[in-house]
Amino acid sequence: MSENTTRIAVLVGSLRAGSINRELAEVAAATAPESVHVEIVEGLAAVPFYNEDLDVEPLDPAVADLRAAIDAADAVLIVTPEYNGTMPAVVKNAIDWTSRPYGAGALKDKPVAAIGASLGRYAGKWSQDDARKSLGVAGGRVVESVEVGIATSELGERTVSQVPEIVEQVRGAVADLADAVGVAA
């Protein structure tokens, strides 16, 4: 990876192996523009729920790995389903851990965005809106132009990667997020 490469860390809000949101993240990694490296952050299931009593050295290894991955990235992309009208706990928990220490967390001033897929007819809009709100409060610089919502009920038997329009939307979202890296806050 060259020093001119933009690094985007992706947090996937579904822990299920066959998740459509996981596939969206994989499409983002596979179709990223040449100068962009997209890396899916693994291990979110092992991150304990945020507890200030646990936020001391030595950090839990899963927390340390999460913070290091976000710290090393130039931007962060959340790919999330919608659970009961909002983002899954795993997404909120990752945001909470990477927002600390207050005012100096790994998310501070980084371009951030949220996309996703959900069964509902609104294609996960509420979970994405809530993720954007939380990311902004946590210190990230929300890139509002990045919006991709997939209604999974409309996929039928197809996978995400079999729908050219979706692949192009995801590629465009990654490009827009990468472009935001060079823009001053």
Side-chain angles (χ1 to χ4, degrees), residues 34-45:
E34 190 174 309
S35 61
V36 178
H37 176 74
V38 174
E39 185 167 338
I40 299 169
V41 178
E42 303 293 351
L44 294 183

Side-chain angles (χ1 to χ4, degrees), residues 9 18 45-47 67 90-91 100 118 138 145 156 175:
V47 176
R67 282 185 174 167
V90 69
V91 171
R100 301 222 183 12
S118 188
S145 64

Side-chain angles (χ1 to χ4, degrees), residues 8 28 38 46 74 77 90 102 110 121 129 146 151 155 166 174:
I8 297 176
V38 174
D74 299 307
L77 179 64
V90 69
Y102 179 75
K110 283 191 196 298
R121 66 180 171 164
D129 287 348
V146 175
L155 286 173
I166 294 174
V174 169

Side-chain angles (χ1 to χ4, degrees), residues 16-39:
R16 188 172 60 84
S19 162
I20 292 172
N21 284 282
R22 175 71 184 206
E23 187 184 359
L24 275 175
E26 291 168 353
V27 166
T31 64
E34 190 174 309
S35 61
V36 178
H37 176 74
V38 174
E39 185 167 338

Side-chain angles (χ1 to χ4, degrees), residues 115-136:
I115 66 172
S118 188
L119 184 60
R121 66 180 171 164
Y122 300 115
K125 177 162 179 34
W126 295 336
S127 65
Q128 293 170 47
D129 287 348
D130 286 349
R132 286 183 195 100
K133 176 184 173 187
S134 188
L135 286 162

Side-chain angles (χ1 to χ4, degrees), residues 55-79:
D55 197 358
V56 295
E57 295 294 332
L59 283 173
D60 178 285
V63 171
D65 290 348
L66 171 62
R67 282 185 174 167
I70 300 304
D71 196 46
D74 299 307
V76 178
L77 179 64
I78 305 286
V79 182

